[in-house]
Amino acid sequence: MMPALLRHGLIAGLAVFSAGCVVPPVASGGDLLAETISLSHCPGRPLEPALLVFDQQAWSAHLREAGEQNAALGQWQVDFDKQTIVLVQMGEQPTLGYSIKLEPPVLRSADGISLTVRQQSPAPGMLTGMALTSPCTYALLNAADVSTVQVRDAESQQVLHTWQR
């Protein structure tokens, strides 16, 4: 079932995977976004928030490091001549209840792409499970030769990360 959702996500817009749960595709609001995968435990458990943009070699290495932890990532059929993969990491968090997801639309300028992410954290006083998490979201973008990627927070519109080739 997951591969079918991935294939349909390339056409329909946005498919989100979180800790083994599948959320149905949602329209991306633009033709740049193929689909995303959001995880509560990013491969390698990154300690700090970060933005990574993968080429084919870096993506292959990342998949080897992820191993079986994130089998959904390996099911993407990526054409790096036409597509780019972006990873936005929230960094290590002290409890369950944190998440990060990409919000449509993805905007394209002459030299790059602008993404907006929504970061969720547990409400003050909310009971949460005690476990270190490292939320992240991957985006497979229908754009190649990207020279700049900028990530903004959906709430504050503050620039969280900027990547340049």
Side-chain angles (χ1 to χ4, degrees):
M1 178 162 209
M2 200 176 325
L5 280 175
L6 286 171
R7 280 193 298 275
H8 294 307
L10 287 170
I11 297 166
L14 176 69
V16 178
F17 297 82
S18 179
C21 300
V22 178
V23 177
V26 177
S28 71
D31 63 347
L32 287 178
L33 179 62
E35 59 186 273
T36 67
I37 297 175
S38 293
L39 304 168
S40 58
H41 296 283
C42 207
R45 191 184 278 193
L47 299 177
E48 299 296 323
L51 167 64
L52 303 173
V53 178
F54 295 98
D55 60 16
Q56 188 167 2
Q57 184 177 1
W59 181 244
S60 295
H62 186 72
L63 288 177
R64 283 192 300 277
E65 291 172 15
E68 293 181 21
Q69 178 185 359
N70 298 310
L73 296 174
Q75 296 193 22
W76 271 348
Q77 300 299 314
V78 183
D79 180 352
F80 283 95
D81 290 331
K82 299 177 183 174
Q83 297 173 313
T84 300
I85 296 177
V86 174
L87 168 61
V88 183
Q89 301 169 331
M90 196 171 178
E92 189 172 78
Q93 302 300 321
T95 67
L96 300 175
Y98 289 86
S99 67
I100 185 170
K101 68 177 186 173
L102 193 65
E103 297 258 316
V106 174
L107 303 175
R108 177 117 196 199
S109 66
D111 63 343
I113 292 177
S114 179
L115 308 172
T116 301
V117 294
R118 183 164 306 278
Q119 300 180 88
Q120 297 286 334
S121 54
M126 181 178 173
L127 294 177
T128 60
M130 296 301 292
L132 293 176
T133 61
S134 51
C136 64
T137 190
Y138 293 84
L140 174 60
L141 305 173
N142 289 327
D145 296 326
V146 175
S147 60
T148 303
V149 177
Q150 188 175 72
V151 178
R152 291 187 179 277
D153 180 72
E155 296 284 321
S156 68
Q157 292 300 305
Q158 175 184 353
V159 174
L160 301 174
H161 306 285
T162 300
W163 174 89
Q164 292 185 323
R165 185 176 309 276

